[in-house]
Amino acid sequence: GQQVMQIPQYQHVQEGEDFTTYCNSSTTLSNIQWYKQRPGGHPVFLIQLVKSGEVKKQKRLTFQFGEAKKNSSLHITATQTTDVGTYFCAGSEYGGSQGNLIFGKGTKLSVKP
Amino acid sequence: DAGITQSPRHKVTETGTPVTLRCHQTENHRYMYWYRQDPGHGLRLIHYSYGVKDTDKGEVSDGYSVSRSKTEDFLLTLESATSSQTSVYFCAISESYAFSGANVLTFGAGSRLTVL
């Protein structure tokens, strides 16, 4: 079945450093979503990518969808303490059922001030 | 955030007892989901619903049942709780985005269940 792998599992950075998390799927995706979960909180939707090679930006966050639609990345420039949390990617297969959004295991980001 | 409420937020129970978690939404969204979150496993889908009385199994449905008698309520039941079902349970809702082929999820605050 479809698998979504996410690396790294943990990332510790100094405030001001950049951060990147990568998501890889065993199958071609119709789209990919990214969520952020603050410590003790619930996942919150950040963005959805649909097109091959798509790049979207939200302030210091840059999201990319690979040309083959099998991988994606989230890059944060100049991290801040407010970026702390776990970042999840979630992929959906073509022609899959409505409940086929498969989550990666997440990358937990800690930022040292 | 969308109007989505989970109850109870915390529960401690004993092995073998039945447990029901409730998810209530005020957004009139068609789709509702139950996920569990465990360290090292991320978010895993238990069951989902695509309408009143329409439900389907997810990745980890064994030991769980669901019901949706009204659009706004989605119940998750553990008929006989086991220690392996100790977890944080998240309800989520979504509307279909036809152009993308996938739903964007809005999550509830979560229900932390401990089975002793």
Side-chain angles (χ1 to χ4, degrees), chain A residues 75-97:
Chain A
H75 179 82
I76 302 178
T77 303
T79 54
Q80 300 175 359
T81 55
T82 54
D83 296 324
V84 165
T86 301
Y87 293 84
F88 294 95
C89 62
S92 184
E93 280 187 317
Y94 282 103
S97 68

Side-chain angles (χ1 to χ4, degrees), chain A:
Chain A
Q2 179 191 4
Q3 291 187 344
V4 174
M5 308 299 291
Q6 194 173 351
I7 56 170
Q9 188 174 0
Y10 301 96
Q11 186 77 56
H12 309 282
V13 300
Q14 191 77 35
E15 188 173 22
E17 293 181 338
D18 292 356
F19 159 76
T20 304
T21 174
Y22 301 90
C23 191
N24 293 287
S25 171
S26 56
T27 59
T28 302
L29 302 171
S30 64
N31 66 80
I32 196 157
Q33 300 172 17
W34 285 92
Y35 293 79
K36 176 184 179 180
Q37 184 176 22
R38 295 181 185 274
H42 58 276
V44 175
F45 172 75
L46 293 176
I47 208 160
Q48 178 172 258
L49 305 172
V50 180
K51 300 177 182 177
S52 171
E54 189 170 15
V55 178
K56 287 188 176 181
K57 293 189 176 184
Q58 290 180 349
K59 296 182 180 178
R60 295 178 295 104
L61 278 61
T62 301
F63 303 85
Q64 293 187 326
F65 201 10
E67 293 291 340
K69 300 185 76 173
K70 297 180 76 172
N71 58 76
S72 181
S73 65
L74 158 59
H75 179 82
I76 302 178
T77 303
T79 54
Q80 300 175 359
T81 55
T82 54
D83 296 324
V84 165
T86 301
Y87 293 84
F88 294 95
C89 62
S92 184
E93 280 187 317
Y94 282 103
S97 68
Q98 201 63 48
N100 73 338
L101 192 64
I102 304 298
F103 280 82
K105 294 184 179 181
T107 296
K108 187 173 183 179
L109 173 66
S110 62
V111 180
K112 186 176 182 180

Side-chain angles (χ1 to χ4, degrees), chain B residues 16-29:
Chain B
T17 59
V19 175
T20 296
L21 305 180
R22 179 181 184 236
C23 180
H24 178 78
Q25 61 142 332
T26 58
E27 302 299 315
N28 200 35
H29 283 3

Side-chain angles (χ1 to χ4, degrees), chain B residues 54-75:
Chain B
D54 291 323
T55 65
D56 205 349
K57 296 179 179 180
E59 178 187 0
V60 289
S61 59
D62 287 349
Y64 302 94
S65 63
V66 290
S67 65
R68 192 169 178 198
S69 58
K70 298 185 290 185
T71 298
E72 57 266 35
D73 290 325
F74 192 33
L75 304 180

Side-chain angles (χ1 to χ4, degrees), chain B residues 31-45:
Chain B
Y31 300 97
M32 299 186 75
Y33 310 79
W34 277 107
Y35 285 86
R36 60 177 290 174
Q37 184 173 39
D38 305 287
H41 290 278
L43 290 155
R44 294 181 291 174
L45 182 66

